[in-house]
Amino acid sequence: MKGYCGKVLHVDLTGGHFEVETPDEAFYRKYMGGSAVGAYYCLKMIEPGIDAFDPGNVLVFATSATTGAPVSGASRFNVNAKSPLTGGLGDSQAGGFWGTELKYAGFDAVVITGRAPKPSFLWIHDGECELRDASGIWGMETGPAQDAVRKAVGEPRARVALIGPAGENLVRFACIANELRHYNGRNGMGAVMGSKNLKAIAVKGSNAPEFADRDAIIAFAQAGAKRSIDHPSTKTLREHGTARTILTSQSIGGLPTRNWTSGSFELAEQISGQEMTRTILKKNEACWACAVRCKRVVEAKEPYEIDPQYGGPEYETMSALGSYVGVGDLPAVAKAAEVCNRLGIDTISAGGTIAFAMECFEKGLINKDDTDGLEVRFGSSEALLKLLELIAYRKGIGDTLAEGAYRAAEKIGKGAQKFAICCKKQEFPAHMPTAKGSLALAYSLNPFGADHMSSNHDASISSDTLSESIKSLGFSKTYPMKVLNFEKAKLFGYTQKYYSALDSLDLCMFCFGVNLIFCPNDVVELLNLCTGWDATLWELMLIGERRINMFRAFNAREGFTIEDDALPEREFEPLVGGTTEGDKVDREAYFKAREQYFRIMGWDEKTGLPGQDKLAELGLDWI
């Protein structure tokens, strides 16, 4: 079997036992890898209704057939478990080098159950696995912990996925870091690791995956690298990283500001990617084999000392720790990003939760008695940095905020729920449904909470000329960005299936997303070059749809209903300030488009659930 190792490592942390499963080719072709494989094991192995921190929760790290191919964008891996933040099936991807190294070490996936009796880490190397004592590493920030793990295994080039103090302290939005620069950020997967007493997974291998046609893969990679030089999107990614989007969002009135009360931030230029390039950028870096090189590394000595080993902030981070909280000081935002990376906190949920706290403070729902004298006000970089520390160590008000904005609002009461900008209890990423109409559906209907990387955004069918990529997915007309109608429901539904397939192949959206250096047919070609199959785009879209339905079924099993497919009330209220004055999501248009989406997906329009016939159609009648 080409493209795969053909081995899945099962780890029982409670007993310290290991078992190797060897799935057949039919399994791999049906679920492909990444997120779909993770969803499969979670559905099969997690008992309904258990708490996310129960030892019975299953934590899956998975790669795919394309992981480790020397191609731009083929670096990613996926982590799945029941989410402590949403209560549904959690999902989080990261780039870097860890996923490729796992394949070199001989495994396609690692399925982890139980809870280690003491702090531990896994050491996976060339087909072998050991459970090591991490008692002396527990409590360390991510940088020192990575050094300690590498020293313990005697391998300075081991790739290490690990948690910081936030994961150990069960912060519900704790993340997993690898190489200190790449993060499985969302859904609290780091907290699940912490609940299992699992500090890290170190991997090292010396056996490259066997692909069906390596020479053709090299030619494919070279063509993509050449294309990336002048492609308008990848060119600006290389120059300014994803933070280039700050000014783009500002220009369309879509930069979330002061807890989503406005889409226009008067200090946007000061925290833009262009300003970062001009001032504190040290260099840009790449994930495995990637020609785009969009990763930032920043460094500064004053007014904050910023350590370059933790990389640099992305667009979401710049917004969440900047405009969300009204902080327009670039060094402060970059320092806050470094703090999150050291402590192991998802920057998006951290910024959304702190913005929530700031609005509660300014509206008088909490006061200095609750915050140990700290002035938690918009624009305060001091409050931002202090709250991040308090959250990671669950001290004072940080213990409440470590639960995330939704649960913190329930605890605070007094109408605080209005200020928690979440879907399925997960804080919003930095793209506004008032500016991009289809995201009203994407945020409320995505099974693992508000997410900006699960579908194509509205610009793809809003420009004067449609690209060949978007045409190939069934679109022929253009519509204004803010409009929410049937075509936007179709945009979400169709491209959600495509991006779901990419998440099952663990391919990067910035290389393989619509209108980028590779098109949908290129995805099919790469898969076939890796495996020797004769797969089609139809087959990949079915894999994407299969994954979405598995997530939907898991959530239904855990008690989710159509009531959870909802936007926070603030999205239906007029924004205030700047070019966004008065903008809001049209309530009637939203509910109509939601029903249309359910019909597009073949689900019951009154419940939003797939029926048994739909599951059977997708080969999921076992659910």
Side-chain angles (χ1 to χ4, degrees):
M1 187 164 52
K2 308 296 185 184
Y4 294 99
C5 302
K7 295 180 179 180
V8 174
L9 176 64
H10 289 260
V11 180
D12 170 19
L13 292 173
T14 303
H17 304 307
F18 310 104
E19 183 179 328
V20 176
E21 178 189 3
T22 55
D24 60 18
E25 186 170 339
F27 170 85
Y28 283 109
R29 189 142 184 178
K30 183 174 181 178
Y31 299 105
M32 204 59 69
S35 186
V37 161
Y40 169 84
Y41 283 110
C42 287
L43 272 164
K44 284 283 190 178
M45 298 175 66
I46 297 174
E47 291 294 326
I50 67 166
D51 188 84
F53 295 142
D54 188 284
N57 197 1
V58 176
L59 183 66
V60 184
F61 290 70
T63 66
S64 85
T66 59
T67 308
V71 172
S72 297
S75 66
R76 300 180 73 78
F77 67 96
N78 207 88
V79 180
N80 294 97
K82 184 173 182 179
S83 168
L85 186 65
T86 71
L89 182 53
D91 185 86
S92 193
Q93 294 90 32
F97 297 83
W98 192 92
T100 294
E101 201 70 38
L102 181 65
K103 290 279 289 283
Y104 272 65
F107 298 103
D108 298 311
V110 183
V111 180
I112 301 167
T113 57
R115 175 184 293 141
K118 60 183 179 180
S120 305
F121 72 88
L122 285 172
W123 170 222
I124 301 170
H125 51 101
D126 285 329
E128 301 293 329
C129 183
E130 304 171 43
L131 189 60
R132 299 278 194 95
D133 184 11
S135 298
I137 304 170
W138 198 259
M140 287 185 180
E141 295 180 353
T142 55
Q146 178 175 270
D147 293 341
V149 169
R150 286 174 170 168
K151 182 178 180 180
V153 300
E155 180 50 78
R157 294 185 62 81
R159 306 296 184 178
V160 185
L162 79 169
I163 60 173
E168 297 171 4
N169 293 318
L170 308 187
V171 173
R172 290 186 185 271
F173 46 90
C175 66
I176 301 170
N178 77 86
E179 303 301 296
L180 309 183
R181 291 165 165 79
H182 310 279
Y183 300 90
N184 301 91
R186 310 236 67 195
N187 276 186
M189 298 296 96
V192 177
M193 277 186 73
S195 75
K196 293 184 175 297
N197 271 338
L198 183 62
K199 180 67 174 180
I201 307 175
V203 294
K204 190 75 179 72
S206 54
N207 298 304
E210 185 178 353
F211 296 116
D213 194 337
R214 183 170 284 274
D215 290 342
I217 290 172
I218 296 296
F220 179 97
Q222 290 171 339
K226 184 177 181 181
R227 213 173 294 145
S228 76
I229 296 171
D230 296 318
H231 190 286
S233 181
T234 51
K235 184 177 179 180
T236 56
L237 274 172
R238 187 179 301 111
E239 291 171 349
H240 304 300
T242 61
R244 65 180 181 174
T245 311
I246 290 281
L247 295 184
T248 303
S249 293
Q250 173 76 356
S251 70
I252 62 171
L255 183 61
T257 300
R258 295 183 181 86
N259 201 31
W260 294 75
T261 57
S262 177
S264 180
F265 186 39
E266 67 278 9
L267 302 176
E269 289 192 9
Q270 295 178 205
I271 59 169
S272 65
Q274 290 81 346
E275 182 66 9
M276 180 165 61
T277 300
R278 190 183 70 81
T279 55
I280 61 175
L281 182 69
K282 181 179 182 180
K283 61 179 179 178
N284 61 336
E285 290 184 335
C287 297
W288 158 262
C290 190
V292 176
R293 300 184 66 84
C294 71
K295 302 297 292 185
R296 308 288 92 184
V297 176
V298 301
E299 184 175 28
K301 299 298 182 184
E302 54 183 26
Y304 302 96
E305 186 170 349
I306 300 171
D307 189 342
Q309 75 168 324
Y310 295 99
E314 305 279 355
Y315 165 70
E316 300 296 328
T317 298
M318 298 283 267
S319 303
L321 303 178
S323 60
Y324 281 30
V325 294
V327 173
D329 178 353
L330 178 60
V333 174
K335 182 63 180 179
E338 182 214 286
V339 170
C340 287
N341 296 347
R342 285 194 289 107
L343 300 178
I345 307 173
D346 171 36
T347 57
I348 301 175
S349 283
T353 301
I354 291 173
F356 155 81
M358 287 178 169
E359 185 164 6
C360 286
F361 190 92
E362 294 201 347
K363 296 283 175 59
L365 277 64
I366 57 176
N367 55 44
K368 288 197 288 186
D369 291 337
D370 302 304
T371 63
D372 293 326
L374 187 65
E375 288 273 350
V376 183
R377 295 191 180 277
F378 289 118
S380 173
S381 54
E382 177 190 2
L384 170 64
L385 292 167
K386 182 63 176 177
L387 285 173
L388 291 173
E389 298 273 354
L390 294 175
I391 288 169
Y393 291 99
R394 282 188 172 270
K395 293 182 178 179
I397 189 69
D399 187 43
T400 296
L401 300 182
E403 295 291 295
Y406 186 93
R407 289 178 177 83
E410 289 183 323
K411 183 174 182 179
I412 292 168
K414 308 173 190 176
Q417 289 87 345
K418 180 179 179 180
F419 309 137
I421 312 305
C422 306
C423 283
K424 297 182 176 67
K425 301 177 184 169
Q426 177 160 263
E427 294 75 15
F428 275 24
H431 303 264
M432 300 188 73
T434 50
K436 300 176 178 180
S438 73
L439 293 186
L441 299 175
Y443 286 5
S444 60
L445 293 164
N446 184 59
F448 47 92
D451 183 65
H452 60 297
M453 298 296 285
S454 292
S455 61
N456 230 58
H457 292 198
D458 300 68
S460 59
I461 59 168
S462 297
S463 56
D464 293 336
T465 305
L466 297 180
S467 70
E468 288 301 309
S469 288
I470 199 69
K471 287 179 181 177
S472 75
L473 294 179
F475 297 91
S476 59
K477 297 180 180 179
T478 63
Y479 295 87
M481 292 265 285
K482 296 180 181 180
V483 164
L484 181 52
N485 59 10
F486 177 80
E487 284 297 312
K488 295 296 183 73
K490 191 174 85 170
L491 177 70
F492 173 51
Y494 284 17
T495 64
Q496 184 191 26
K497 293 177 187 179
Y498 176 64
Y499 279 59
S500 180
L502 294 184
D503 284 342
S504 301
L505 285 168
D506 284 320
L507 292 173
C508 179
M509 310 304 182
F510 293 122
C511 296
F512 288 89
V514 176
N515 302 339
L516 288 160
I517 59 174
F518 297 115
C519 70
N521 287 335
D522 290 327
V523 178
V524 178
E525 180 182 356
L526 177 60
L527 174 63
N528 290 334
L529 292 176
C530 289
T531 60
W533 296 340
D534 190 19
T536 64
L537 183 57
W538 170 258
E539 185 175 352
L540 291 188
M541 294 292 277
L542 285 176
I543 287 165
E545 187 176 6
R546 187 173 294 125
R547 168 186 172 269
I548 294 165
N549 278 266
M550 284 195 288
F551 272 78
R552 196 78 178 173
F554 185 99
N555 286 0
R557 191 188 75 174
E558 297 304 307
F560 283 57
T561 71
I562 196 170
E563 299 302 318
D564 296 291
D565 298 321
L567 287 172
E569 190 61 27
R570 175 155 286 173
E571 290 304 300
F572 301 114
E573 297 173 351
L575 297 173
V576 177
T579 58
T580 63
E581 182 78 37
D583 286 356
K584 63 179 179 178
V585 174
D586 182 280
R587 192 184 302 270
E588 184 178 348
Y590 166 74
F591 282 106
K592 182 177 181 180
R594 190 178 72 168
E595 278 195 13
Q596 291 168 334
Y597 166 79
F598 290 151
R599 290 197 291 270
I600 287 168
M601 296 298 287
W603 298 343
D604 186 286
E605 64 187 64
K606 300 303 180 185
T607 66
L609 292 177
Q612 201 62 39
D613 287 345
K614 169 54 71 174
L615 295 177
E617 175 196 341
L618 296 169
L620 299 174
D621 44 320
W622 55 268
I623 294 178

